[in-house]
Amino acid sequence: MRLNMAGRPTANTTIFGSSAGTPKVLAQILTTGQIRISLAGATGSAFARIESNFTGAVPGDGLCDGNDHDILISWDTSQADQALGRSLFVNGTDADSSGATWATGTVGYATAINAYRIGNVGGGTRDLKLGAFILCCTERVDLTDGAKRALFAADYLRDGGLGPFSARPAFLLTGTAGQAGGWNDATTGMNWGTGFKFKPLAPSAAVDVTGAAWS
């Protein structure tokens, strides 16, 4: 994900999650300014939580310091050891919090249309800028390898390229690049990946920013 948020939200804010029911993969920006990924099994029982400990340019605001941040998170819930099962990097630096929780299990990914929503889904009152969002459910990328982290760059993914993956991921959203109306495309939707297209709930709510690496 590429994220820019100026100031911490007033409540934990969902960036990515289920449209209804118990979310199996839930990405939130917390009131601490950190990102949290929560994972749940097919029955909805939570078993893993991944959090960042990024300091940021503004003391105490974490990721919400008004700067662009590239956030990479990778997990393998078949691993019983937290160190082997997850990793989190911000701007190429290890920012994984040791305070997260972990247990083995199988994530119950939903595949039906309308299963997920993305963006500022309720909660806090801060606006956010989202340049790219990628979710691959079929393979884990070793983020400790700098060469593999570099494959997440816009040059590799801008036009729907595979980048670090051996097959196209489920969700590959890269702003307006080659995708018609981008975030505001209410007709055909957007997604370079294999999953369903995303369409805006409120087209006027998204403001496209041109000239950025992902636009």
Side-chain angles (χ1 to χ4, degrees):
M1 182 189 331
R2 171 164 285 184
L3 175 79
N4 183 311
M5 200 167 183
R8 293 174 291 152
T10 56
N12 292 348
T13 299
T14 297
I15 301 297
F16 177 86
S18 299
S19 296
T22 303
K24 305 303 187 293
V25 180
L26 178 65
Q28 296 173 295
I29 299 297
L30 308 179
T31 57
T32 59
Q34 303 298 337
I35 189 170
R36 171 190 289 170
I37 305 294
S38 302
L39 307 176
T43 61
S45 57
F47 56 77
R49 192 176 70 203
I50 308 165
E51 294 182 6
S52 66
N53 58 8
F54 182 71
T55 302
V58 180
D61 276 0
L63 292 161
C64 303
D65 60 3
N67 295 308
D68 291 342
H69 296 300
D70 290 316
I71 304 167
L72 298 176
I73 301 172
S74 185
W75 64 77
D76 176 1
T77 54
S78 70
Q79 298 286 348
D81 189 307
Q82 291 193 59
L84 297 176
R86 71 167 201 259
S87 52
L88 189 158
F89 281 74
V90 176
N91 304 333
T93 300
D94 189 346
D96 190 2
S97 170
S98 59
T101 58
W102 194 262
T104 57
T106 301
V107 179
Y109 295 106
T111 57
I113 193 170
N114 295 327
Y116 301 104
R117 290 194 295 172
I118 189 170
N120 189 339
V121 186
T125 58
R126 297 284 187 181
D127 290 333
L128 61 90
K129 295 178 182 178
L130 193 63
F133 183 87
I134 304 163
L135 176 64
C136 180
C137 309
T138 56
E139 62 185 290
R140 186 185 184 203
V141 178
D142 181 8
L143 298 181
T144 63
D145 185 337
K148 292 183 178 179
R149 292 199 304 271
L151 294 177
F152 284 94
D155 288 344
Y156 291 99
L157 296 169
R158 182 192 302 277
D159 298 320
L162 295 177
F165 308 112
S166 61
R168 197 174 299 281
F171 301 135
L172 175 51
L173 313 177
T174 58
T176 59
Q179 297 193 68
W183 300 112
N184 289 312
D185 187 351
T187 303
T188 58
M190 64 180 296
N191 184 11
W192 286 116
T194 60
F196 290 104
K197 303 290 187 180
F198 284 79
K199 298 180 181 179
L201 292 174
S204 61
V207 178
D208 289 329
V209 178
T210 60
W214 288 101
S215 63

